[in-house]
Amino acid sequence: MSIFRVYVDGALFYHPNLSKLAITQARVSEDAANIDSLKLSAPFNHPYIDSIKPMASIIVCKKGENVVFEGRALDNGSDFYNTHTWTCESALAYLKDTMQPPFSYKGSLKGLFEQFISVHNKSVEDQKKFKVGNVTVTDNNDYVSYSSSDFTMTMDTIKNKLINTHGGYLQVRYESDGKYLDYLSDFKTKSMQTVEFGKNITDVKITRDHTERVTVLIPLGAKKTVTDENGNETQSEDRVDITSVNGGKNYIYDDAAVKEIGWIWKSEVWDDVTLPGNLLKKAKSRLFDLVNGVTSIQLTIVDESDTGADIGDIRARMYVECISKPHGINGTYLCVSRTRDYLNPSGNTITIGASGVTLSASTVKQDKNIAAIEDDLLGKTYKIETISGEIDTINAQKMYRTELVVDGVNIFKNKGQASTMRCKVYSWDKDITDTLDAECFVWHRKSSDEEADIEWDKSHIGKKQITITTEDVYDNASFYCEINL
């Protein structure tokens, strides 16, 4: 199992096997379309608590040999117990530190991206520099023409001149020879894990933003070029539209959506599109998304890599196979965001982007279905076999989850301390702990001494609650309960 560590300016700040370097939170939020963030907390007695200097210190989190976060602290706060917490932003935020001077560019899209990064690198220290990585976003004509008369932030310039017009994502990638910045039209990595209802999904939240729905779209392309009587070309304020290829109309609409919610208009500009036919194609594809609105699915999951399984973890910017038949989810989706607490993985979530996701009637009305089936049993013995099968099918979809409750402290600071740990078992949201035999509960300890852990496990079988003392924790240890149903 890969070990998670935190470094501050190259020095070790957290290691799970060193009790003196304890922290209380390391929560990384990844966002495919924005800057990642880290929430880091440490107790008041951490020996290097003063080593983190906001906006100056470089904070790096690693899992195994992989960098899962690099960035800087933005602030430093403390609570009633003097626990210090830092909010950090990832290395992508370095693009906010530099300005792009006024420019005029004509050439390939990749060349423009390289120009922006080159200007950035000349203005910052080595730690904030990027190597230009993979550029898979393309232009139909492999030619763009942009200019600016203002000084603009590098991040804003890239968004306004590239991402907003051509789409794509920025991705920081770490290799042995440095830090690369990719500009990708899409992500090619797929997780080895499958997220599945009844297996490793503990909660599902589906959100559809109807306020973002649009039924009519006016697409506009590049500014038209006008040639005067002397043969000089100038750029006019008029833009390419679809009138000539769309029956004289400069807009397209979705008839079914108009009948449902009415005429809701929107205009979008594609600065790089010079042909009306290409503009119409782009507009039709875009209208399909606008009609459906913005749909996101948040899944609370158990990442199998956190359990010690030799399998890659799930990250934002990769595709994940997700299956939840009761919720109408069955396919491979882009993980657009990922929230991961490396100390307490039970609340980890991923958000996947999708459209047309609906709750199946069998899930929404599941309780009523079970009651109706049981009612049918009365006086209808000839249907018993069929009905029993239906009940078994629905009950088989039940999902169990556990919750550890600690009465006492989570971190022992002095000898003689003790805490009671209980394991509660839920079927859906119903607490079924009292209905289970004690033999179902098997406790495990994970520390740096594997042989001692095996002996400890043997003496903690068949107990619904256990008492943990300082004698159970030599240096650093974690505990969990396995339920055998």
Side-chain angles (χ1 to χ4, degrees), residues 121 136 154 166 238 244 299 322 332-333 382 431 444 466 471:
N121 288 341
T136 60
T154 298
H166 291 77
D238 293 334
S244 61
L299 308 176
C322 302
T332 300
Y333 305 92
Y382 66 98
D431 187 344
H444 298 277
I466 60 174
E471 295 180 356

Side-chain angles (χ1 to χ4, degrees), residues 249-299:
K249 297 179 180 178
N250 70 339
Y251 63 90
I252 58 174
Y253 67 97
D254 185 286
D255 186 60
V258 169
K259 291 178 180 178
E260 179 190 357
I261 60 175
W263 294 82
I264 302 177
W265 296 70
K266 182 180 178 64
S267 177
E268 291 196 2
V269 176
W270 285 264
D271 277 311
D272 61 314
V273 180
T274 58
L275 300 176
N278 290 340
L279 183 62
L280 181 59
K281 290 179 182 179
K282 287 181 177 288
K284 288 181 177 179
S285 176
R286 177 59 175 152
L287 182 60
F288 177 81
D289 294 331
L290 294 173
V291 164
N292 289 310
V294 179
T295 300
S296 68
I297 310 169
Q298 185 183 84
L299 308 176

